[in-house]
Amino acid sequence: LVDRPPKDSLMKAAHLLCRIGALDKSNSLTAVGKKLAMIPVHPVYAYCLLVSSEFECTAEMLSIVAMLSAETPVFVAANRRQKELAPKTKPVLHDDGDHLSLLSAYSQWKKSSNKQAFARQHGLNHTALERANTIRGQLKDLLLQAWQFKQIPSCGGPKNWHVVRRALLKGCFMQTARRDEVNQNAYQTTLTRQVAKLH
């Protein structure tokens, strides 16, 4: 038998769904909620996909959501030989954070002619990337069918990934924080005003 979820967990889930516009005040699904329910990923990921259409970067967001949904570590510890080769190859990590690093790793792996060698050379988990690729294909098909997308818009590559960052900011607004102007290594979360410090 499955135990009933704790009441706090249900309240947090309902609060999250209300924040992203999936539930109304009477706890009924909204039009947004019905759209999100068609996509079998975490509601925040589905919301990011929905928001990405406004910013015309759905192709990139599909890759990010697929990488996050693979639930397998993408980056693996590099061995000595990989570390020696690293300076000679284009880096996969992106300066603007984890989400764009995932997008960069996936995009470069996808373009590579020898995907397994590319993954090994860059300290990436080839199996996780293949799984993410499968998930991405399934999500793309769902967007085309369930959400009636005519095509999957793309922002046009790494030079325009600032658009993806904006879509992520709007889609993940509940995980945002502002840097403390006085104490530069402290942040305050936007919603709860909780203080977080960098170590």
Side-chain angles (χ1 to χ4, degrees), residues 9-28:
S9 297
L10 290 174
M11 293 298 288
K12 282 182 183 177
H15 187 68
L16 166 79
L17 293 172
C18 284
R19 289 253 185 205
I20 62 176
L23 288 180
D24 60 20
K25 291 181 181 183
S26 64
N27 290 331
S28 297

Side-chain angles (χ1 to χ4, degrees), residues 71-112:
E71 295 182 351
T72 307
V74 174
F75 299 100
V76 293
N79 63 31
R80 192 176 65 193
R81 185 171 179 277
Q82 290 167 334
K83 288 178 184 174
E84 290 169 3
L85 288 172
K88 300 173 189 162
T89 62
K90 184 178 177 188
V92 294
L93 297 180
H94 197 281
D95 291 338
D96 290 331
D98 294 346
H99 292 92
L100 294 186
S101 290
L102 289 171
L103 177 57
S104 173
Y106 177 81
S107 299
Q108 290 182 53
W109 172 82
K110 186 74 175 159
K111 289 177 186 172
S112 174

Side-chain angles (χ1 to χ4, degrees), residues 181-198:
E181 307 237 350
V182 177
N183 186 357
Q184 292 291 313
N185 69 339
Y187 290 81
Q188 188 177 53
T189 59
T190 309
L191 290 180
T192 61
R193 306 283 185 231
Q194 186 176 12
V195 175
K197 292 189 177 183
L198 295 178

Side-chain angles (χ1 to χ4, degrees), residues 114-169:
N114 187 343
K115 292 176 176 33
Q116 201 159 14
F118 177 87
R120 196 173 28 267
Q121 185 177 11
H122 289 85
L124 302 172
N125 182 342
H126 179 69
T127 305
L129 288 160
E130 284 185 325
R131 182 174 163 90
N133 191 47
T134 301
I135 292 169
R136 187 186 187 285
Q138 292 168 346
L139 289 173
K140 180 180 175 184
D141 290 345
L142 272 171
L143 293 186
L144 292 169
Q145 293 169 7
W147 288 1
Q148 275 105 35
F149 276 34
K150 302 230 184 311
Q151 62 181 10
I152 304 296
S154 171
C155 68
K159 67 184 182 304
N160 296 321
W161 282 359
H162 62 279
V163 176
V164 178
R165 289 178 63 204
R166 289 182 187 146
L168 282 166
L169 183 62

